[in-house]
Amino acid sequence: MKKIILVGLAIFAVSTSGALAAKKTTKPKAPAAAATTTNTGGAAPPMLGQVSAADRELYAKNQRDSGMKKK
């Protein structure tokens, strides 16, 4: 009987410790506006995953073919 109670208590302690630890985390603070406006570097590098004009045309064609109305 004692073994069952101890195992149940151990399972309860392990399952709640993760939930309690998650509540203690704090959200990161937003950077100050002055820090972002003082950047005088060159042009921003091209981002990966940008949509090309051909991709947009194909997307529009697929929507027309499927019968979806344009928003």
Side-chain angles (χ1 to χ4, degrees), residues 16-26:
T16 57
S17 65
L20 293 175
K23 290 182 180 179
K24 292 181 182 179
T25 60
T26 59

Side-chain angles (χ1 to χ4, degrees), residues 36-47:
T36 58
T37 58
T38 60
N39 187 4
T40 58
M47 305 242 343

Side-chain angles (χ1 to χ4, degrees), residues 38-55:
T38 60
N39 187 4
T40 58
M47 305 242 343
L48 295 176
Q50 288 183 338
V51 180
S52 66
D55 288 338

